[in-house]
Amino acid sequence: MSRLILLNKPFGVLSQFTGGKDGVDDTLAHLVDVPGVYPAGRLDKDSEGLLLLTDDGRLQARIAEPKFKTAKTYFVQVEGVANEPALDALRAGVKLNDGMTRPAQAQLIEPPEIWDRIPPIRVRKSIPDSWISVTISEGRNRQVRRMTAAVGLPTLRLVRWRVGEWAVDTLAPGEWREIDI
């Protein structure tokens, strides 16, 4: 039977078990002590939220490979006010330096009721911020950050909330649970 672990990856942790600059504290090794599981996809060190770990190579490929178009939903705090033209641009697909993205689902949302980030984001009193929900079906390097920047809304905080049918839900940063698949 395959294993699937849902982990709420904290800010500042690499999506790998070895090779961190600061030793074990900045890798998954200090969070998940389960042999033989590997991340299905990646989440940047400065991003947080749902990371799936599995020991099943086929499941890992189904989750991570762009050809399978697994939907990934992010809550994104952006600098500036997310207006309809910017959201429409995300919905149409954005031209990045590595080509056009697939169209995303994007909408303005109320600030989500989630954990505080440690350390907190830098807030500037003279520049407003807003939250958007973005769902993509590909996974280019730093894609959501590059997409929001391309439409004039630099990302301040990025939280992956859902991957396919799985969501981070009530897991606190650093917590994980194994689910039956």
Side-chain angles (χ1 to χ4, degrees):
M1 186 164 132
S2 299
R3 299 183 95 162
L4 181 64
I5 293 173
L6 282 61
L7 167 69
N8 186 345
K9 186 193 87 62
F11 177 85
V13 174
L14 296 170
S15 294
Q16 58 197 44
F17 283 92
T18 60
K21 178 180 77 169
D22 300 327
V24 77
D25 288 346
D26 65 344
T27 68
L28 299 175
H30 80 284
L31 298 174
V32 180
D33 186 21
V34 177
V37 296
Y38 300 94
R42 301 187 70 75
L43 202 52
D44 296 331
K45 186 173 183 173
D46 53 354
S47 299
E48 44 191 316
L50 184 62
L51 184 65
L52 301 175
L53 308 169
T54 183
D55 61 356
D56 182 329
R58 286 158 105 186
L59 178 59
Q60 186 179 27
R62 193 187 78 188
I63 294 166
E65 291 293 324
K67 69 181 179 182
F68 293 107
K69 300 179 182 174
T70 301
K72 298 165 191 76
T73 299
Y74 299 83
F75 294 157
V76 190
Q77 187 177 14
V78 295
E79 189 173 270
V81 177
N83 57 28
E84 279 305 307
L87 295 171
D88 285 342
L90 294 170
R91 293 175 191 134
V94 178
K95 183 174 182 178
L96 302 176
N97 61 358
D98 55 353
M100 286 295 291
T101 66
R102 291 181 186 143
Q105 295 174 25
Q107 62 185 4
L108 182 66
I109 61 172
E110 291 295 319
E113 293 185 23
I114 57 174
W115 56 90
D116 291 333
R117 194 184 91 173
I118 302 171
I121 65 154
R122 183 187 69 197
V123 175
R124 297 192 288 183
K125 292 180 182 174
S126 62
I127 300 176
D129 62 69
S130 51
W131 282 87
I132 59 176
S133 172
V134 177
T135 301
I136 60 172
S137 61
E138 54 189 338
R140 300 181 197 185
N141 185 40
R142 300 179 69 83
Q143 180 176 342
V144 173
R145 290 177 185 279
R146 293 189 300 140
M147 289 175 72
T148 63
V151 300
L153 299 169
T155 294
L156 298 171
R157 185 175 181 194
L158 184 70
V159 178
R160 183 159 58 197
W161 191 256
R162 177 176 294 281
V163 175
E165 63 191 82
W166 304 287
V168 75
D169 291 326
T170 59
L171 290 174
E175 286 185 347
W176 60 272
R177 75 172 172 269
E178 189 166 349
I179 61 169
D180 294 328
I181 53 170

